[in-house]
């Protein structure tokens, strides 16, 4: 049993991109699916597919690399709020990652969204991770 499934999700993405894999399989959950949709919408991954073959299903993610240098698009995935120490932020204090070049994924009462979207909707929540 995992104590932090979001950290496991980010670690699998990080390891696969560092190793140069094209596709990574991750055990699914609703929160992981929402994070995957955000990563796709923001252009950090190439594509994704939700497979409903088991109780929890799988998420198959195609990673994105630079065309010329073959470097992974995702430079860093950093977990912020952990099970031992939760980090919350209100709408006026939402973090900016790399002065707006990266994204912070926030779990709010209106769903999982980026910090920019949360600021537009004027909601705060738990800061899950930084991506850049």
């Amino acid at each position: 049993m995992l104590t932090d499934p979001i950290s496991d999700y980010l670690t699998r993405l990080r390891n696969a991109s560092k190793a140069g894999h094209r596709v990574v399989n991750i055990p699914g959950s609703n929160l992981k699916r929402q994070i995957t949709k955000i990563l796709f919408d923001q252009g950090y991954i190439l594509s994704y597919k939700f497979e409903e073959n088991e109780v929890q299903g799988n998420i198959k993610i195609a990673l994105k690399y630079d065309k010329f240098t073959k470097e992974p698009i995702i430079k860093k995935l950093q977990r912020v709020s952990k099970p031992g120490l939760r980090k919350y932020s209100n709408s006026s204090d939402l973090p900016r990652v790399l002065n707006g070049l990266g994204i912070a994924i926030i779990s709010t009462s209106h769903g999982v969204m980026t910090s920019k979207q949360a600021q537009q909707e004027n909601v705060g929540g738990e800061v899950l991770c930084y991506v850049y």
Side-chain angles (χ1 to χ4, degrees):
M1 177 166 162
L2 294 171
T3 58
D4 191 8
I6 302 304
S7 180
D8 178 61
Y9 171 85
L10 296 174
T11 301
R12 286 178 190 236
L13 280 178
R14 189 181 311 115
N15 289 345
S17 67
K18 297 281 185 191
H21 293 290
R22 295 283 178 206
V23 178
V24 59
N25 286 324
I26 299 171
S29 73
N30 289 334
L31 184 60
K32 292 178 191 177
R33 289 178 183 170
Q34 292 174 345
I35 293 173
T36 303
K37 288 178 185 176
I38 289 173
L39 290 176
F40 178 73
D41 292 340
Q42 298 296 319
Y44 288 103
I45 58 175
L46 196 59
S47 65
Y48 62 92
K49 181 179 177 184
F50 300 136
E51 297 177 344
E52 298 294 335
N53 56 1
E54 300 171 10
V55 175
Q56 65 184 13
N58 279 333
I59 304 171
K60 195 175 271 194
I61 298 175
L63 298 174
K64 195 173 185 181
Y65 295 93
D66 192 339
K67 293 178 184 177
F68 303 111
T69 63
K70 306 297 185 210
E71 292 286 322
I73 296 295
I74 298 175
K75 301 292 183 212
K76 189 161 187 175
L77 289 164
Q78 182 180 358
R79 181 78 160 117
V80 178
S81 182
K82 299 174 183 169
L85 181 62
R86 301 287 186 186
K87 300 280 184 172
Y88 295 97
S89 180
N90 57 15
S91 61
S92 61
D93 296 332
L94 288 171
R96 289 186 64 189
V97 180
L98 283 180
N99 206 18
L101 296 177
I103 62 169
I105 299 178
I106 313 291
S107 176
T108 68
S109 58
H110 295 269
V112 178
M113 58 184 73
T114 64
S115 59
K116 292 177 187 175
Q117 293 168 334
Q119 200 165 26
Q120 289 172 353
E121 293 189 20
N122 199 22
V123 293
E126 182 181 357
V127 182
L128 295 177
C129 62
Y130 297 149
V131 182
Y132 53 92

